[in-house]
Amino acid sequence: MNTVEIKKGIYWVGAIDWNIRDFHGYKTPYGTTYNAYLVVDEKIALIDTVKRPFKDEFLARVKEIVDLDKIDYLVVNHVEMDHSGSFPIVAGMLPNATILATEEGREELQKHFGTTNDITVVDDGDSISLGSKTLQFIKTPMLHWPDSMMSYLVEDHVVFSSDAFGQHIASSERFNDEVDPSTLYHVAGDYYANILWLYSPLISRLIERVQSMGIEIDVIAPDHGVIWRDDPMQIVTWYAKWASGTASDRVVIAYDTMWNSTEKMAKAIAEGIQSEGVAVRLMRLRDTEKSYVITEMLESKGVLVGSPTLNNGMYPLVGGFLTYMKGLRPKKKKGAAFGSYGWGGGACAAIEEMLQDSGIDVVREPLELKWVPTNEELASCEEYGREFARSLKE
Ligand code: FEO
């Protein structure tokens, strides 16, 4: 089993999940990793475990470096099962380890696993000495669960950042300088948009707090994907941008269609948007995973959502997408609704309500057309697109 030394005495001992394509409903086309770390000093600390099916791979890596009975601490940075699934088994194999978690982590471990292990609660700012190295804990509640914390190796300037700064990508490479930068930017953005977008205000505050603490950071070691060692603050800069809602003059048109009328409208609207020099991306929801649409939205100022009317409302597929989007609370977006209907409308009003509930600034009245759009009506769709594109620049 390959282990990787990040810095002297600091090892990656995680597992690679090459084949996962659905991470609790969020599509992961590149797979992922469950990262865990081992810090070997006078005392030895194991930071996080892995998803349960990967425990043997993980334990083999740990045992290549140390005997399990030599481990003094098991640090639980985060209780979600992709990191703690093998916790009950691993904890039972570490006879001399003190288990460390936040108060919320202790409660969650008991609720998830009925664990009877003694768990030592650590609070924000607490630290333990491993000898020449000090491990300090920074509570980061809701990044990604109430229990979440980061661990900072003070002398080595290494942050074990848990879910934050991760990416769902499986690779044999362990460090950011070994992977194509544009691929990394995409997978990091995809991860942010689909997992952390909702918590943007917390991320902004965390970045400000870490900056005010003045801590040095040489390495950011997240629980998924590659480890940031080459210019590690680049991912922090990306997070600051995404958390602020900064986006480009781009529009995502997410829609579905029954007999192509709504699709004709979508394409005509796109023509109008393009004619204003604004980039546009059509994404038909029947053929596109909702998480890919969300990723596309992250750096786009505008979102238009279209649906034919079905039984006085929107298509269920469009409703599912909007429910997912609403939960993520996309910041600083402008939007509007469009769609076709036969004898009675309803889809556009339902879409508009969901857009507003999502915090999106609805800048145009819905565009709703009866039956198949005529050439004149398609021209009005193009004009609608032009107006919408211009509204992005206001
Ligand atoms: Fe990677 Fe919130 O678990």
Side-chain angles (χ1 to χ4, degrees), residues 151-368:
S151 301
Y152 176 57
L153 207 47
V154 176
E155 293 78 6
D156 295 277
H157 309 148
V158 176
V159 180
F160 302 101
S161 62
S162 191
D163 273 346
F165 310 121
Q167 334 91 49
H168 283 315
I169 182 170
S171 61
S172 56
E173 299 87 355
R174 294 274 67 78
F175 296 100
N176 67 309
D177 47 284
E178 299 172 321
V179 177
D180 171 58
S182 60
T183 300
L184 262 191
Y185 185 80
H186 174 75
V187 293
D190 179 67
Y191 182 99
Y192 185 95
N194 284 281
I195 297 179
L196 298 174
W197 207 351
L198 169 64
Y199 305 115
S200 291
L202 296 177
I203 286 167
S204 296
R205 284 204 288 278
L206 174 69
I207 293 171
E208 283 169 18
R209 184 179 163 214
V210 169
Q211 284 169 340
S212 71
M213 289 166 74
I215 63 174
E216 290 183 54
I217 297 174
D218 290 348
V219 173
I220 296 175
D223 272 1
H224 296 287
V226 298
I227 297 160
W228 304 90
R229 70 175 175 190
D230 177 45
D231 185 14
M233 296 309 285
Q234 67 183 287
I235 182 65
V236 179
T237 305
W238 297 350
Y239 267 46
K241 179 176 78 169
W242 294 328
S244 73
T246 303
S248 312
D249 288 346
R250 300 173 58 84
V251 179
V252 177
I253 301 180
Y255 71 100
D256 207 342
T257 195
M258 187 186 295
W259 294 107
N260 298 331
S261 292
T262 301
E263 184 160 78
K264 284 178 181 169
M265 293 178 71
K267 288 180 175 174
I269 292 168
E271 285 291 321
I273 291 170
Q274 279 178 276
S275 71
E276 288 292 320
V278 171
V280 61
R281 183 91 188 259
L282 267 77
M283 303 184 93
R284 189 166 58 200
L285 291 165
R286 201 179 312 180
D287 306 296
T288 311
E289 287 298 336
K290 59 186 181 302
S291 55
Y292 300 167
V293 182
I294 293 295
T295 304
E296 192 67 28
M297 281 177 59
L298 181 63
E299 296 198 18
S300 302
K301 278 187 194 168
V303 56
L304 288 163
V305 180
S307 173
T309 290
L310 175 72
N311 301 331
N312 305 317
M314 65 180 125
Y315 254 27
L317 200 62
V318 177
F321 163 72
L322 288 170
T323 300
Y324 183 66
M325 185 187 76
K326 181 181 161 191
L328 292 164
R329 301 291 297 175
K331 282 174 69 94
K332 295 185 182 172
K333 302 297 175 203
K334 294 183 176 182
F338 69 94
S340 65
Y341 66 99
W343 53 96
C348 283
I351 292 169
E352 190 175 72
E353 187 178 342
M354 284 292 275
L355 290 174
Q356 286 166 339
D357 288 350
S358 305
I360 288 175
D361 180 14
V362 177
V363 294
R364 285 286 176 277
E365 291 291 317
L367 179 61
E368 202 161 25

Side-chain angles (χ1 to χ4, degrees), residues 23-24 33-34 78-83 143-145 148 162-163 168 191 195 223-224:
F23 195 92
H24 58 48
T33 68
Y34 312 110
H78 182 23
V79 177
E80 191 166 8
M81 278 63 73
D82 47 330
H83 311 294
L143 298 177
H144 162 229
W145 276 12
S148 295
S162 191
D163 273 346
H168 283 315
Y191 182 99
I195 297 179
D223 272 1
H224 296 287

Side-chain angles (χ1 to χ4, degrees), residues 6 30 44 50 59 71 80 84 86 106 142 162 175 183 206 208 210-211 219 282 336 342 374 387 389:
I6 300 169
Y30 306 105
I44 298 174
V50 296
L59 284 169
I71 293 173
E80 191 166 8
S84 72
S86 45
R106 184 187 63 76
M142 298 319 300
S162 191
F175 296 100
T183 300
L206 174 69
E208 283 169 18
V210 169
Q211 284 169 340
V219 173
L282 267 77
T374 62
E387 288 173 5

